[in-house]
Amino acid sequence: YQRRVHGKQWYQRRVHGKQWYQRRVHGKQWYQRRVHGIDGRLVFPASSLAIETSTKMTEHFPAGAISPFFIIAETGATVDDPAQRTGIYDEKYLSATCDTMRRMVERGYANTTDFRSLNYLPREIDAFANFTKSFVVNNRTYTIHIDPLEIDCITNGTITGWFTGFAESNSTISFNYTGAQLLQILHQYPPYELLWNQTVGENATLITFQVPLDPFGAEIQNYTTSFRDFLANETRDSSVVSYYVSGATIDELDSVDQIYSIFPTMLAIIVSAIFVLMGITFRSVWVPV
C-alpha cells in the first residue's frame, strides 16, 4: 500500500503489476479498478519450458502468433447446398463475412495478412494467371486466353478473355460467375483445398487471425471487450451470419472475470460458515463476534 500527501491524498494497491485499485481525495472521491491482462509468468513457473518457448516465439514471430483468436461464422442454415446457394454458398453470407473482415482491418482489430479464412484472401490471387489453352479441330488451331482474375473476396464477379481461330481477329468472351461457383472452382486447387479442410465446418466457417498486439499484454482486455462489442454489432446488423469468438486468451480472461465476480459471494459464505461453526462449538452467539 502507498500513501502520498502532496496537495492531495491517494492510496494505491498493485497486484502483480496488473491489477490495481485507486482512491483519490482532491475535491472529490473516486475509485478505479483496472485489469490489464494476463502475465504468463504468473501462470507458469519462470523456469518452465512454457515460458522459455513463449519467449522464443516473441523473438521470432509476431506476439499475436502465440495465441490466435478464432471466430465461428455460423450461417443459421440447415444445409450447405451449392446448387440452392444455401449455407456457406449463400451470396449474402459470403459478402457479409468478407465485409466484416474488411471492417476489422479498417478499425485496427487485425492486419490484412493475419487471416486464415475461406473467403477472405489477404493477397489478391490470380486464379487464371497466364491461362492459355490451344486445341486443334479439323486441322484448325483454336486458342483461348483467360484474363487474370484477381480475387480478394469470394463473391460475384466476371471472367473475361479472348479466343482466336474462328475469325481473323480476336473475339472477346465474358461470363459472370457467382460466389458459390467460384468456391467450387477454387476447391479443385490443392492449396485452396487444404484451406477448405481447415476452415469449413457444418453450416459454418472458421476465421482464424492474429491479434496485432501481445495477447497476454497490458492492452488485451480492452481490445477483447471492444472486439466483442464489434462482433455483436456485426451479428445484430446481419440476417445471415452469427459470430462467436474464442481463444486461449479470451478463455483465461473470462475465467478471471468469473472468479472475481463470485469472490464476494464466496467470501460471505465462508465468513458465515465460520461464524456458525464457532457459535455451535462455543455454544454462544457472541464468541464469534
Side-chain angles (χ1 to χ4, degrees):
Y1 295 83
Q2 191 176 39
R3 178 185 180 190
R4 293 183 184 178
V5 182
H6 186 68
K8 59 182 177 181
Q9 294 178 330
W10 57 276
Y11 301 82
Q12 190 176 53
R13 179 189 180 196
R14 295 178 182 264
V15 182
H16 301 311
K18 295 296 176 183
Q19 293 180 329
W20 55 272
Y21 303 79
Q22 191 176 55
R23 178 188 181 193
R24 295 185 182 181
V25 182
H26 187 66
K28 62 179 180 179
Q29 294 180 335
W30 56 273
Y31 297 82
Q32 189 177 31
R33 176 177 182 261
R34 293 185 181 178
V35 184
H36 292 306
I38 302 171
D39 190 340
R41 293 169 296 180
L42 305 179
V43 180
F44 306 104
S47 59
S48 68
L49 292 177
I51 295 298
E52 179 182 352
T53 304
S54 176
T55 302
K56 290 296 182 182
M57 281 284 291
T58 55
E59 289 178 0
H60 300 290
F61 299 94
I66 299 174
S67 180
F69 280 21
F70 304 94
I71 302 174
I72 299 173
E74 187 180 52
T75 66
T78 56
V79 178
D80 295 325
D81 189 341
Q84 300 295 326
R85 301 181 190 176
T86 59
I88 66 170
Y89 297 99
D90 187 338
E91 302 296 332
K92 292 182 179 180
Y93 172 82
L94 294 173
S95 297
T97 52
C98 190
D99 290 341
T100 294
M101 285 180 275
R102 283 174 172 165
R103 283 189 284 270
M104 286 173 58
V105 173
E106 292 172 358
R107 301 185 186 187
Y109 291 119
N111 298 315
T112 57
T113 57
D114 293 339
F115 287 102
R116 185 178 65 188
S117 170
L118 168 72
N119 65 324
Y120 182 83
L121 308 173
R123 295 184 180 90
E124 293 184 346
I125 65 170
D126 184 355
F128 296 102
N130 301 318
F131 181 88
T132 302
K133 181 70 174 180
S134 297
F135 54 96
V136 178
V137 178
N138 296 329
N139 296 323
R140 187 167 186 175
T141 301
Y142 300 88
T143 301
I144 297 178
H145 174 82
I146 301 297
D147 294 331
L149 177 63
E150 294 184 347
I151 303 170
D152 59 352
C153 282
I154 310 301
T155 54
N156 297 335
T158 303
I159 295 177
T160 60
W162 49 268
F163 63 89
T164 60
F166 293 98
E168 296 297 330
S169 60
N170 295 338
S171 301
T172 60
I173 57 175
S174 174
F175 57 91
N176 298 325
Y177 62 85
T178 66
Q181 291 171 333
L182 185 58
L183 276 180
Q184 292 177 292
I185 294 173
L186 291 177
H187 197 190
Q188 308 305 315
Y189 289 85
Y192 198 82
E193 184 178 8
L194 175 62
L195 178 64
W196 180 287
N197 294 334
Q198 294 174 339
T199 61
V200 177
E202 185 177 352
N203 306 322
T205 59
L206 181 66
I207 302 169
T208 306
F209 72 100
Q210 298 177 12
V211 296
L213 45 83
D214 186 351
F216 298 101
E219 301 87 2
I220 191 61
Q221 181 163 11
N222 290 336
Y223 171 93
T224 302
T225 301
S226 175
F227 183 61
R228 277 178 158 169
D229 291 341
F230 165 78
L231 283 185
N233 291 334
E234 292 289 305
T235 298
R236 185 190 64 238
D237 296 339
S238 175
S239 60
V240 293
V241 59
S242 299
Y243 295 106
Y244 306 88
V245 62
S246 183
T249 302
I250 294 178
D251 295 343
E252 292 185 15
L253 287 172
D254 284 350
S255 297
V256 171
D257 288 342
Q258 287 295 320
I259 290 172
Y260 275 100
S261 67
I262 64 174
F263 180 75
T265 302
M266 294 302 300
L267 183 61
I269 293 174
I270 292 172
V271 172
S272 300
I274 292 175
F275 270 67
V276 171
L277 290 175
M278 290 185 66
I280 293 174
T281 301
F282 294 100
R283 298 180 179 180
S284 172
V285 176
W286 303 106
V287 171
V289 178

